[in-house]
Amino acid sequence: MNPEAALRPAEDTSTPRRPRMVRTAVVVGTALEHYDFFLYGTAAALVFNTQYFASDNPLVASLAAFATFAVGFAARPLGAVIFGHLGDTLGRRATLIFTLVLIGVSTGLIGVIPNQDVIGIMAPIALVTLRFLQGISFGGEWAGAVTLASEHAPKGKEGLYASLPQLGSPIGNIISSGAFLALGTLPPDAFQAWGWRIPFLAAFPLLGVALWVRTLVDESPAFKNATQANLIQKVPAWQVVRRAPGRMFTAAAVAFVSIGGFFLVTTFAISYGTGTVGLSSSTMLTATLSAAALQIVTVLVTGSVADRIDPIKLATWGCAVTAVLAFPAILALSSGSPVLAIVAIIVIVQPIAVAYAVTGVILPELFHTSIRYSGVALGFNIAGFVGGFVPMIATSLLIVSGSKSWPISVLLLVIALISLAGVRIANRLIPPMGRRRTGSAAEAAQAE
């Protein structure tokens, strides 16, 4: 068998049920993963700084809470290596079931950890440990979902399928933010004592639903063909580092605005808006909820358009508009006006969402099928490792600058420009849309 031909996606012989199940499985699974991951970010801004990292200085407490938030991102490259290896050797489907179970259990257990007043130093240690396990799981989830979706995609619908895992981010954000917004109606003492734990405990039943859906999905045709052609690598992560380091770092740069930029204008913005600007938590949660709701539409439209317009052009537009809006959006958020703050968050999230939607199209194209899961996972999670520290970096800039807003704008501008540079490099590494997914240029280049 011709190795190159073997790596091409199989002809679409699926029944109508299988494509629906693939679409449902990647959306439901990534939505649960993002719900679990975002819960921690919201809780870090609203609860953990007082429950687990108490300090006389609110900014210092927030800095400590965001440091543990970053731990989840620091663990993601390790998860990329572990689950990338499993995904490229044992299969995409089985690996994605494992990632789902790990993050669901670790998130649910966060809801039962006593606070610092009860068990002292063991409280933050337990919290950090579970956050680390969340990060390991997340390190393999998104890459696997994108790889599975793109390899199952019928011809002409690659952009739409590869964008579907990105719906998990706004859906998870809506559910997690909505849960905290609803629980915000509780008396403050009740919310701090037990109310905040409810969304974490809800991870257990949600895991059951997501797991059931994901078990109904078939293995990807491309992985089956690679297995039959005996093209499976023994250590795929090492092959990525040895054979395609430039592509790996290009993937990281492309994804950076989708992670670092997003958490700057959502997770950090909640803390900044409530702690520094003086806006209410309900205002900031309403802003992130509204932005996430519109983000769903943006991702779906962008994914559909990406099957007709080169995804590189869409990613370029998303990064460039984010850069242009960096100063106006942060200034509006800093104004103290609830209306301006909500509008600013809604507007700035959308160009980031455009770039994020096509990240799932661009990254798989950078890597050969036999190392694709590992390559996408490593690239995306290198960006995640750095991006996870963005809220902490932004908080540090606030402390150093005396709570000035302009350093935050500069930070967002730099993030957008890094991704823009990555997109332009990717433009030279992968073929134009008209030749995508044919198994010729992209696969041959990576087979060298």
Side-chain angles (χ1 to χ4, degrees):
M1 179 180 291
N2 184 336
E4 183 180 316
L7 292 176
R8 299 175 189 173
E11 293 297 321
D12 183 21
T13 59
S14 57
T15 64
R17 177 177 175 271
R18 195 176 74 178
R20 284 199 302 271
M21 195 53 64
V22 171
R23 294 194 298 265
T24 302
V26 296
V27 173
V28 170
T30 55
L32 175 62
E33 291 269 350
H34 282 89
Y35 167 76
D36 293 346
F37 214 68
F38 285 153
L39 274 182
Y40 195 102
T42 305
L46 299 178
V47 178
F48 293 160
N49 54 341
T50 58
Q51 292 277 328
Y52 296 94
F53 306 98
S55 172
D56 294 334
N57 186 330
L59 275 179
V60 172
S62 293
L63 185 62
F66 282 138
T68 65
F69 176 75
V71 164
F73 289 88
R76 283 168 61 161
L78 176 59
V81 172
I82 294 171
F83 292 115
H85 177 83
L86 295 175
D88 281 328
T89 56
L90 299 181
R92 286 52 161 136
R93 176 182 176 274
T95 302
L96 285 172
I97 290 173
F98 191 5
T99 61
L100 199 63
V101 171
L102 180 59
I103 199 167
V105 172
S106 58
T107 300
L109 290 177
I110 289 176
V112 301
I113 301 174
N115 64 24
Q116 196 171 5
D117 291 338
V118 177
I119 60 173
I121 190 63
M122 291 304 299
I125 290 175
L127 188 66
V128 170
T129 300
L130 291 173
R131 177 60 175 175
F132 188 79
L133 292 176
Q134 276 191 326
I136 288 178
S137 171
F138 204 91
E141 167 63 27
W142 183 87
V146 164
T147 300
L148 185 73
S150 63
E151 291 179 346
H152 266 295
K155 187 175 181 180
K157 294 186 178 180
E158 296 91 346
L160 176 61
Y161 270 61
S163 70
L164 291 176
Q166 281 72 276
L167 291 176
S169 176
I171 292 172
N173 198 7
I174 287 172
I175 299 173
S176 61
S177 295
F180 273 103
L181 187 62
L183 290 168
T185 59
L186 291 171
D189 290 344
F191 176 77
Q192 289 289 331
W194 54 267
W196 68 269
R197 298 180 182 274
I198 295 174
F200 286 93
L201 295 173
F204 288 123
L206 291 174
L207 170 62
V209 174
L211 193 58
W212 172 71
V213 172
R214 189 158 278 185
T215 56
L216 299 177
V217 176
D218 295 333
E219 183 56 82
S220 84
F223 179 79
K224 290 179 180 178
N225 291 345
T227 302
Q228 292 169 1
N230 198 28
L231 295 171
I232 301 302
Q233 303 291 322
K234 290 184 178 180
V235 189
W238 169 242
Q239 295 301 320
V240 173
V241 174
R242 185 175 69 87
R243 294 165 55 191
R247 291 171 181 259
M248 178 178 68
F249 286 111
T250 297
V254 170
F256 191 37
V257 73
S258 304
I259 304 172
F262 181 79
F263 282 110
L264 180 64
V265 301
T266 54
T267 299
F268 169 76
I270 293 174
S271 176
Y272 175 65
T274 56
T276 302
V277 179
L279 296 167
S280 68
S281 60
S282 62
T283 294
M284 296 311 302
L285 288 172
T286 298
T288 56
L289 274 170
S290 302
L294 185 56
Q295 185 185 356
I296 293 174
V297 178
T298 301
V299 168
L300 282 173
V301 171
T302 304
S304 298
V305 171
D307 286 318
R308 297 187 297 275
I309 299 175
D310 197 323
I312 291 290
K313 294 180 180 179
L314 295 171
T316 299
W317 182 89
C319 295
V321 173
T322 300
V324 169
L325 293 177
F327 277 87
I330 300 302
L331 283 173
L333 176 60
S334 305
S335 67
S337 165
V339 174
L340 283 179
I342 292 172
V343 170
I345 297 299
I346 292 173
V347 170
I348 192 61
V349 164
Q350 303 320 309
I352 294 175
V354 170
Y356 183 43
V358 292
T359 296
V361 186
I362 296 170
L363 266 58
E365 290 297 318
L366 287 168
F367 302 99
H368 191 275
T369 303
S370 62
I371 58 172
R372 181 170 293 145
Y373 198 133
S374 295
V376 173
L378 284 169
F380 188 75
N381 288 295
I382 289 171
F385 174 80
V386 180
F389 288 90
V390 166
M392 188 175 69
I393 293 169
T395 303
S396 300
L397 290 174
L398 278 183
I399 295 173
V400 172
S401 68
S403 299
K404 297 291 192 303
S405 67
W406 66 265
I408 311 304
S409 299
V410 171
L411 180 59
L412 181 56
L413 174 63
V414 169
I415 290 170
L417 292 179
I418 289 172
S419 281
L420 182 59
V423 170
R424 301 320 303 164
I425 294 171
N427 186 46
R428 298 198 296 267
L429 293 175
I430 61 178
M433 191 191 75
R435 287 177 281 140
R436 287 167 50 237
R437 310 302 297 158
T438 63
S440 55
E443 295 286 19
Q446 278 298 300
E448 294 178 354

